[in-house]
């Protein structure tokens, strides 16, 4: 990776666009990045990191911080552009963070989202866009570099302070740094995965033990409380007991044997109970059968006596049924005569009702005369068909004339309304046009006032700043006066002490004399009368303290003068911009313009409404004109139509008056004829029906008299009285049949031999037999329950034994897997006895990486230390539970001793940390797939080196050019400015920092 060009705008301390040409700086191999504290040297490195990864190094990406420059103009966006070559591709990355900008319309700000652009330069097509996606650009850059942001910040920016802490850190801190750089999370994940598998396997084994114990407890419950098992109860076992399987298997076998012995005893008792129960059931059945036969014979005797007492009733029922049978031969004639009589009464009633509705002239007419009248009326009704159509047309004309009248009245109303509205149109249009024009003038006035309002507000704000700066200048002048007085007093005090010290300098020189040593003033080795300090003698320490206090106060005075100059300059700038007007005058002017602008805007706000009102009025005027034209056309057409309808209706009414006669309408006349026809028709039909019913009644009377005589009855009334209804006849016949059947059944029962024999025996006693049978059944149930329980116990024990054996067989592989996984987990976690150094897997990998880094660092440390120091990796076991395998020692070739890196001096620590950083860069680069890192930065640390050590370090850094690398040194050391020709200076200015390039002693 080689950096070519970096451009920053409104980023960090840089307000104006700044461009850094790394190609020019890298030509010399080593270049210096320097400037005063706070100028923005680190911000240059932050910009490189932000362009590549979209964020700055971790410590400077704290919550609440912003990348935007406080000095930048609000309209200038914050932007970073980096041009570099990586993986053989020339790329350009441009990034803008999320930031606020002024709104394009109105006041205030709006939030712009973060943006990114990636372009690539090819020889054939030049620059071409690749992506604008943050995620795609980040993934592309990380794949090309092969490093994360943390690795880039450690490998390319080389923060010396962190590597100095790395040298002095313990194994835990070194492990955290190396873990971030080499991404050993997958090894830690392996440790965690094995730990999880061990815990899971342990859980499965414990669950298997618990299942076995649960089955064992169920075995104990199924075995019950047996005397032979009380001597050997189930042992108190817990999950993880070594002999769990053997104890459960042995106890289950004993429980099964005991259960089978108890089953044999229960089955023998059940066989005896079944025999006793069978004998009792036979005795109960015999007693019940004897009792039934005895009861049956007694009941037959009682029913035979009762049947003999009912003989008279049987004779009466039989005679009644005989008369009813003879009356049945007369029943058809009776029913026929009743039907004929009912029909004759109904026909006579209908005939009388219909004749009562006829006119008096037809009250005594016969059926034939009524039929002739009906034919004449129907002919008159047929002649009214044409008159009905004329009458319907006349009614329709009446409706059309009414509708025409309504239409005429509506047209006249529309015509009058349109005429009245149009009469005031000219005055209404003039008023609306005047409102529109007034609103337009107000809008023009509001725009003019808006142009004057903003400068007035800015001038008022400038006047307020002028007043604030004036107050600040007065306070700064007062503070400067106080500091000047204090500094003057301190200077006088220092000069007084200096004069007093010079006056007693002989005593101070005499204090340094020694016997036999020459005097520094006269050279004599003898000192016969050395001067003695006078009372109140001032020594060098007191003078230095006074001078230091004066210099500090004088520096405060200079700072106060600079602060006063800055405030006065700001005050003068604000006064020049504000003018001679006072703040109150400017405020009053701004408030007046604001009020006028508000009134003008309020008046101009009605422009749209006034224009809309004028447009609506013009549309309404057009509609009214059209309405008036349509109304006039409608009125003319309605007059012509009305005259035609009136002529047609007069003709129809003359003809209808002739046809209707006295009736109000043709329909009414037709209704009268239809009602008359209906009455005549009904009366003729009723007269014919009455005559036929009289004939049929006479014939039915003759037939009934003949049938009664033939059946043996003297009169028809006697035959009717002998009739019996069918339900009653069936009931009487049923009683006769029941008596006959009962007499036959009783005869059969009294002739039964077994019943006769049973009646001769003593009375049966079934209750005693039932009690004996119940006792035997209870004993049988008890014995059966005991046998079933014994069988169920044996089945449950067999089933639970098989289940326990299944669980125990499944538990074997689980125990083997747990042992294997536990050994692996303990080995990778460093807790196993097989792991002699107690090193975790991640620590082991990091130790290998640290060994590579130490070997690569030693090559450069030997050159920087003149062949004296060598870095070696130590995998010695750490005590007190500390992490092993991450020890780092330095070997001193001059003394042959090995010591901890924490014992190095400041300069030696810089040597070691720089060598370690360069070695780490080589190792991480190799691990990243061999990506070339052609540009490196070294941040601070050179101030602790003497001239010789500095030359050795620069020689080592200069040797990096053999690998075509360029190294940027970030330092305050002034001596480096004469040793390194290519320089990038960051100049701190009031309006934002700027960068200057120096190559070969020239700056630009």
């Amino acid at each position: 990776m080689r950096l070519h060009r970096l451009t920053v705008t409104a980023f960090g301390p840089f307000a104006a666009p700044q461009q850094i040409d790394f190609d020019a700086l890298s030509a010399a191999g080593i270049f210096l990045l320097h400037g005063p504290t706070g100028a923005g040297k680190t911000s240059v490195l932050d910009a490189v990191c932000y362009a590549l990864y979209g964020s700055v190094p971790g410590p400077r990406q704290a919550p609440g911080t912003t990348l935007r420059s406080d000095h930048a103009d609000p309209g200038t966006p914050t932007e970073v552009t980096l041009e570099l070559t990586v993986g053989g591709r020339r790329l350009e990355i441009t990034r803008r963070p999320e930031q606020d900008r002024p709104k394009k319309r109105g006041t205030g700000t709006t939030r712009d989202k973060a943006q990114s652009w990636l372009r690539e330069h090819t020889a054939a097509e030049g620059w071409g866009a690749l992506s604008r996606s943050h995620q795609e650009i980040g993934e592309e850059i990380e794949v090309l570099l092969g490093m994360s942001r943390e690795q880039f910040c450690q490998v390319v920016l080389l923060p010396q302070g962190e590597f100095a802490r790395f040298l002095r850190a313990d194994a835990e801190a070194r492990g955290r740094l190396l873990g971030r750089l080499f991404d050993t999370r997958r090894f830690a994940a392996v440790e965690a995965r094995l730990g999880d598998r061990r815990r899971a396997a342990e859980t499965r084994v414990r669950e298997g033990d618990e299942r076995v114990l649960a089955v064992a407890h169920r075995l104990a419950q199924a075995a019950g409380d047996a005397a032979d098992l009380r001597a050997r109860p189930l042992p108190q076992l817990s999950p993880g007991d070594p002999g769990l399987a053997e104890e459960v298997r042995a106890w289950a076998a004993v429980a099964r044997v005991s259960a089978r012995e108890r089953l044999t005893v229960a089955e023998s008792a059940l066989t005896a109970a079944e025999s006793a129960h069978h004998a009792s059931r036979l005795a109960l059945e015999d007693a019940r059968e004897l009792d039934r036969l005895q009861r049956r014979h007694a009941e037959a005797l009682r029913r035979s006596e009762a049947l003999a007492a009912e003989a008279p009733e049987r004779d009466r029922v039989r005679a009644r049924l005989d008369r009813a049978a003879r009356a049945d031969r007369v029943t058809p004639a009776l029913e026929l005569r009743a039907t004929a009589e009912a029909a004759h009464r109904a026909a006579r009633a209908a005939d009388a009702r219909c004749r009562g509705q006829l006119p008096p002239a037809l009250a005594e007419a016969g059926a034939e005369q009524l039929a002739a009248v009906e034919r004449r009326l129907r002919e008159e009704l047929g002649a009214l068909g044409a008159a009905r159509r004329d009458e319907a047309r006349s009614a329709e004309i009446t409706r059309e004339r009414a509708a025409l009248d309504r239409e005429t009245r509506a047209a006249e109303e529309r015509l009058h309304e349109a005429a009245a509205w149009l009469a005031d149109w000219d005055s209404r249009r003039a008023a609306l046009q005047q409102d529109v024009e007034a609103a337009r003038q107000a809008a023009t006035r509001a725009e003019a006032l808006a142009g004057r309002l903003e400068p007035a507000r800015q001038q008022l704000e400038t006047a307020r700043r002028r007043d604030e700066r004036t107050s600040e200048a007065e306070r700064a002048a007062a503070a400067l006066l106080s500091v000047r007085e204090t500094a003057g007093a301190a200077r006088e005090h220092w000069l007084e002490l200096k004069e007093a010290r010079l006056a007693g300098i002989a005593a101070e020189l005499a204090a340094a004399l020694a016997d036999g040593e020459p005097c520094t003033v006269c050279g004599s080795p003898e000192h016969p009368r050395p001067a003695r300090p006078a009372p109140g003698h001032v020594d060098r320490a007191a003078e230095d303290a006074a001078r230091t206090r004066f210099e500090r106060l004088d520096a405060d005075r200079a700072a106060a003068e600079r602060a006063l100059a800055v405030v006065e300059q700001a005050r003068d700038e604000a006064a020049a911009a504000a003018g001679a007007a006072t703040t109150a005058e400017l405020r009053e002017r701004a408030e007046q313009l604001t009020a006028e602008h508000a009134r003008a805007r309020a008046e101009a706000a009605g422009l749209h409404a006034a224009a809309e009102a004028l447009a609506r009025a013009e549309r309404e005027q057009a509609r009214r004109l059209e309405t008036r034209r349509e109304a006039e056309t409608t009125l003319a057409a309605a007059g012509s139509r009305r005259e035609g309808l009136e002529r047609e209706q007069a003709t129809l009414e003359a003809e209808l008056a002739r046809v209707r006669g006295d009736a109000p309408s043709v329909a009414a006349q037709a209704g009268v004829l239809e009602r008359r026809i209906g009455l005549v028709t009904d009366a003729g039909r009723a007269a014919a029906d009455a005559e036929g019913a009289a004939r049929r009644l006479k014939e039915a009377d003759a037939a009934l008299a003949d049938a009664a005589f033939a059946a043996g009855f003297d009169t028809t009334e006697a035959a009717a009285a002998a009739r019996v209804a069918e339900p009653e006849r069936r009931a009487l016949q049923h009683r006769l049949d029941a008596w006959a059947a009962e007499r036959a059944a009783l005869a059969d029962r009294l002739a039964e031999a077994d019943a006769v024999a049973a009646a001769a025996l003593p009375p049966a006693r079934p209750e005693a037999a039932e009690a004996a049978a119940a006792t035997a059944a209870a004993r049988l149930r008890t014995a059966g329950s005991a046998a079933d329980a014994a069988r169920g116990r044996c089945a449950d024990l067999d089933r639970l034994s098989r289940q326990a054996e299944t669980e125990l067989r499944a538990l074997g592989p689980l125990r083997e897997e747990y042992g294997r996984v536990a050994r692996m987990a303990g080995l990778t976690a460093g807790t196993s006895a097989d792991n002699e150094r107690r090193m975790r897997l991640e620590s082991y990998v990091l130790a290998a990486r640290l060994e590579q880094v130490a070997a690569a660092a030693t090559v450069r440390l030997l050159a920087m230390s003149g062949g004296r120091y060598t870095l070696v990796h130590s995998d010695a076991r750490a005590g007190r539970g500390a992490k092993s395998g991450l020890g780092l020692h330095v070997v001193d070739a001059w003394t042959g001793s090995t010591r901890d890196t924490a014992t190095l001096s400041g300069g030696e620590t810089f040597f070691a940390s720089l060598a370690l950083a360069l070695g780490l860069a080589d190792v991480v680069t190799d691990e990243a797939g061999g990506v070339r890192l052609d540009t490196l930065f070294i941040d601070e640390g050179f101030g602790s080196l003497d001239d010789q050590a500095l030359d050795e370090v620069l020689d080592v850094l200069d040797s990096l050019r053999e690998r075509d690398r360029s190294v940027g040194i970030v330092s305050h050391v002034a001596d480096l400015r004469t040793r390194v020709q290519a320089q990038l200076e960051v100049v701190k200015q009031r309006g934002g920092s700027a960068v200057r390039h120096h190559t070969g002693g020239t700056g630009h």
Side-chain angles (χ1 to χ4, degrees):
M1 180 199 73
R2 177 177 294 278
L3 304 181
H4 299 295
R5 187 172 291 100
L6 174 68
T7 303
V8 296
T9 303
F11 182 88
F14 305 108
Q18 304 293 321
Q19 188 175 88
I20 302 173
D21 189 352
F22 285 111
D23 287 337
L25 295 172
S26 302
I30 301 177
F31 63 90
L32 178 65
L33 175 59
H34 67 94
T37 301
K41 300 185 298 298
T42 306
S43 296
V44 174
L45 308 183
D46 289 347
V48 173
C49 183
Y50 178 72
L52 291 173
Y53 294 96
S55 60
V56 297
R60 294 185 288 279
Q61 189 76 345
T65 59
T66 178
L67 302 178
R68 181 167 178 78
S69 174
D70 296 332
H71 304 283
D73 183 82
T76 302
T78 300
E79 184 177 280
V80 176
T81 300
L82 177 65
E83 185 179 340
L84 75 159
T85 297
V86 58
R89 299 169 62 184
R90 186 74 171 254
L91 302 176
E92 180 190 79
I93 309 170
T94 301
R95 293 187 187 270
R96 287 184 180 179
E98 186 177 9
Q99 55 191 301
D100 294 328
R101 63 166 176 80
K103 292 182 177 179
K104 296 180 179 179
R105 295 181 180 178
T107 60
T109 61
T110 184
R111 192 74 171 172
D112 279 346
K113 295 183 179 180
Q115 302 180 61
S116 300
W117 296 270
L118 177 64
R119 299 197 304 165
E120 183 176 7
H121 184 274
T122 59
E125 300 180 359
W127 288 105
L130 290 183
S131 176
R132 294 190 61 175
S133 168
H134 301 297
Q135 182 177 359
E136 291 179 358
I137 295 174
E139 293 174 353
E140 182 74 12
I141 294 301
E142 190 160 343
V143 168
L144 290 174
L145 291 177
M147 291 181 286
S148 64
R149 188 194 66 178
E150 289 76 11
Q151 291 175 316
F152 177 83
C153 294
Q154 294 286 345
V155 173
V156 178
L157 303 186
L158 299 181
Q160 294 304 109
E162 290 194 17
F163 282 98
R165 288 193 298 272
F166 180 81
L167 288 171
R168 298 185 174 90
D170 56 9
E172 291 291 337
R174 287 175 183 163
R176 286 193 296 272
L177 175 61
L178 292 173
R180 289 198 309 270
L181 292 178
F182 293 105
D183 192 14
T184 56
R185 289 175 296 180
R186 59 187 182 277
F187 300 103
V190 170
E191 297 177 21
R193 176 61 177 164
L194 287 173
D196 293 341
R197 289 188 59 185
R198 179 187 61 78
R199 287 187 292 273
E202 183 180 6
T203 301
R204 288 194 294 271
V205 171
R206 178 171 293 275
E207 290 175 351
D209 288 345
E210 291 175 351
R211 288 195 298 271
V212 171
L213 288 177
V215 174
H217 290 305
R218 291 170 63 188
L219 278 168
Q221 293 176 356
D225 186 15
D228 51 351
L229 292 179
R230 294 194 194 103
R232 185 178 179 179
L234 179 67
Q236 296 297 323
L237 302 172
S238 60
D241 287 347
L244 176 64
E246 290 74 11
E247 290 288 347
V248 171
R249 285 192 177 100
W251 196 87
V254 172
R256 290 196 302 274
V257 172
S258 174
R260 288 190 174 85
E261 292 176 353
R262 283 181 282 173
L263 175 60
T264 302
V265 174
E267 287 178 343
S268 300
L270 177 61
T271 301
E274 287 176 346
S275 299
H277 179 262
H278 180 68
S280 66
R281 290 297 300 173
L282 293 176
L284 177 60
E285 291 175 359
D286 293 342
R288 285 176 176 174
E289 179 63 18
L290 177 61
D291 181 67
R292 185 185 68 80
L293 293 174
Q294 290 177 346
R295 290 176 181 275
R296 180 182 179 86
H297 188 268
E299 179 65 21
L301 291 175
R302 186 185 64 78
R303 287 298 301 155
S304 178
E305 294 174 355
L307 187 63
E310 294 177 356
E313 179 65 19
R314 289 196 300 273
D315 295 339
R316 186 186 64 79
V317 170
R318 188 176 293 109
R320 175 93 182 266
L321 289 175
D322 181 62
R323 288 195 304 272
R326 288 188 290 111
D328 287 342
R329 295 196 293 272
V330 187
T331 296
L334 288 170
E335 292 176 353
L336 179 61
R337 201 272 176 186
T339 303
E341 184 179 8
H344 181 258
R345 284 196 301 270
R348 289 187 64 185
D351 182 53
R353 185 174 61 256
C354 291
R355 288 181 182 276
Q357 297 178 1
L358 293 175
L362 298 177
E364 299 298 333
E368 294 180 359
Q369 185 181 358
L370 291 174
V373 172
E374 179 184 357
R375 287 192 296 272
R376 180 177 57 80
L377 292 175
R378 290 188 182 278
E379 290 174 359
E380 293 178 2
L381 179 62
L384 294 178
R388 286 183 176 179
R389 290 190 293 274
D390 293 342
E391 187 179 42
R393 175 56 185 160
S394 178
E396 182 180 358
I397 291 173
T398 300
R399 290 193 295 273
E400 290 181 3
R401 289 177 62 186
L404 195 60
D405 291 341
R406 290 194 298 273
E407 184 178 354
T408 301
R409 287 193 297 273
E412 289 174 350
E413 291 176 359
R414 292 197 300 273
L415 179 61
H416 293 158
E417 182 183 357
W421 192 91
L422 291 171
D424 297 333
W425 165 242
D426 293 335
S427 59
R428 184 181 294 109
R429 178 174 58 185
L432 292 173
Q433 288 176 344
Q434 185 178 358
D435 292 343
V436 172
E437 185 61 27
R440 286 175 178 167
Q441 292 176 0
T444 304
R445 189 166 64 257
E447 292 179 0
L449 290 172
R452 296 169 55 195
L453 179 59
E454 188 60 28
R457 288 176 176 171
Q458 292 178 356
Q459 190 175 10
L460 174 60
E461 185 63 26
T462 305
R464 288 173 177 166
R465 288 200 300 273
R466 175 194 64 192
D467 296 343
E468 293 175 357
R469 298 297 181 269
T470 301
S471 299
E472 292 178 2
E474 292 174 355
R475 290 193 296 271
L480 175 59
L481 180 60
S482 175
V483 172
R484 280 177 176 172
E485 292 176 355
T486 305
R491 184 174 184 277
E492 293 177 358
H493 179 64
W494 168 52
L495 293 177
E496 290 174 358
L497 292 180
K498 184 175 183 180
E499 291 178 0
R501 179 171 174 264
L502 290 175
I505 194 66
E508 186 174 340
L509 293 174
L513 295 177
D515 294 339
E517 296 292 332
C519 176
T520 58
V521 177
C522 64
S524 173
E526 297 179 359
H527 318 293
R529 288 187 302 167
R532 294 288 185 267
H537 174 70
V538 178
D539 56 5
R540 185 181 184 87
E543 180 191 355
D544 290 344
R547 184 182 64 185
T548 301
R549 181 173 181 272
F550 161 68
E551 291 175 349
R552 178 173 54 79
L553 291 174
D554 191 58
D556 293 343
R557 176 195 57 78
E561 289 178 349
R562 289 193 298 272
L564 177 60
V566 171
V567 173
E568 287 177 344
Q569 181 180 356
R571 179 198 60 193
D572 295 341
E573 292 175 355
T582 64
T583 304
E585 294 172 348
L586 294 174
R587 185 185 305 107
E588 182 179 0
R589 180 185 175 190
E591 291 175 353
Q592 181 180 0
L593 288 174
T594 301
E596 293 178 359
H597 180 257
R599 286 194 297 272
R601 287 192 61 185
E603 295 174 3
L607 175 59
H608 179 72
E612 285 292 326
L614 177 59
R616 285 196 301 272
E618 290 175 346
R619 291 193 297 272
E620 180 66 16
Q621 187 255 354
R623 188 181 68 80
R624 297 282 182 167
L625 289 174
E626 180 64 21
T627 300
R628 184 176 64 182
R629 185 188 63 77
E630 292 177 353
E632 291 173 348
T633 303
T634 301
L635 289 174
S640 300
R641 177 62 175 163
R642 184 184 297 106
E643 293 176 359
L645 292 175
E646 289 174 351
R647 289 194 300 270
E648 183 181 0
Q649 189 173 29
T651 303
L652 292 174
E653 286 297 329
E655 179 64 22
L656 289 173
R658 183 185 63 79
V659 175
R660 282 196 299 262
D662 296 335
S665 65
V666 175
Q669 180 68 15
V672 171
L673 291 176
E674 289 174 351
R675 285 193 298 275
R676 290 178 181 175
I677 293 171
L679 293 175
V680 172
T681 301
D682 293 341
R685 187 180 301 113
D689 291 343
E691 293 174 357
R695 287 193 305 273
R696 288 191 293 274
L697 177 60
K698 186 176 180 180
E699 295 172 355
D701 286 337
L704 175 59
D706 295 340
F709 179 77
F713 292 102
D714 297 334
T715 63
T716 58
E717 290 77 4
R723 295 177 63 192
V724 177
E726 185 62 28
E728 184 180 359
R729 178 183 296 181
R730 285 196 299 271
L732 294 174
Q733 186 64 44
H734 179 69
R735 290 179 65 185
L736 288 177
D737 294 341
W739 282 328
E742 187 175 3
R743 185 171 55 251
L746 289 175
D748 291 340
R749 286 187 184 181
L750 291 175
E752 291 176 355
D754 52 353
V756 172
L761 294 176
R765 297 180 59 193
E767 295 81 4
E770 288 179 356
T775 301
R779 291 175 181 173
L780 177 61
R781 286 194 298 272
T782 301
S785 298
D788 291 341
R791 294 190 194 94
R793 184 182 300 109
C794 290
D796 291 342
L797 290 174
D798 292 341
R799 177 178 54 80
L800 292 173
S801 297
R802 290 192 300 271
Q803 184 177 351
E805 186 63 28
T806 301
E807 295 290 349
L808 289 172
R809 290 177 180 175
L811 192 57
L814 294 179
R815 290 188 184 279
E816 294 178 1
E817 180 185 3
Y818 170 69
R820 182 171 61 255
V821 173
R823 286 193 298 273
M824 289 297 295
L827 187 64
T828 57
T831 59
S832 172
D834 297 334
N835 192 332
E836 297 179 358
R837 300 187 182 276
R838 294 293 191 267
M839 290 179 65
R840 294 171 49 213
L841 177 62
E842 184 182 13
S843 300
Y844 179 80
V845 176
L846 292 177
R849 292 288 189 269
L850 183 59
E851 186 175 7
Q852 295 174 348
V853 172
T858 296
V859 177
R860 295 182 174 84
L861 182 58
L862 286 171
M864 286 187 283
S865 63
R868 179 177 180 182
Y869 293 119
T870 302
L871 280 175
V872 294
H873 161 252
S874 173
D875 58 359
R877 179 175 177 180
R880 299 182 179 179
K883 185 180 293 187
S884 302
L886 297 179
L888 196 62
H889 299 293
V890 62
V891 178
D892 190 344
W894 291 3
T895 63
S897 62
T898 300
R899 53 194 175 107
D900 193 87
T901 54
T903 62
L904 295 174
S905 65
E908 293 169 344
T909 298
F910 175 74
F911 283 157
S913 63
L914 178 59
L916 193 64
L918 294 174
L920 180 64
D922 291 340
V923 174
V924 173
T925 300
D926 294 339
E927 186 175 280
V931 177
R932 288 179 54 82
L933 299 178
D934 300 323
T935 305
L936 301 175
F937 294 91
I938 301 175
D939 192 0
E940 292 300 343
F942 293 88
S944 60
L945 305 179
D946 55 24
D947 292 344
Q948 180 180 355
L950 185 60
D951 288 337
E952 292 174 349
V953 170
L954 292 178
D955 289 341
V956 171
L957 296 178
D958 192 54
S959 66
L960 295 176
R961 286 188 296 178
E962 298 175 1
R963 299 179 63 179
D964 197 20
R965 283 182 173 177
S966 61
V967 180
I969 300 174
V970 183
S971 178
H972 290 280
V973 178
D975 194 26
L976 286 174
R977 302 179 191 176
T978 61
R979 297 171 181 259
V980 180
Q981 298 300 315
Q983 300 178 13
L984 178 66
E985 181 182 5
V986 183
V987 182
K988 182 164 62 174
Q989 298 175 351
R990 183 174 180 179
S993 298
V995 297
R996 296 176 182 172
H997 294 73
H998 302 275
T999 55
T1002 63
H1004 62 280

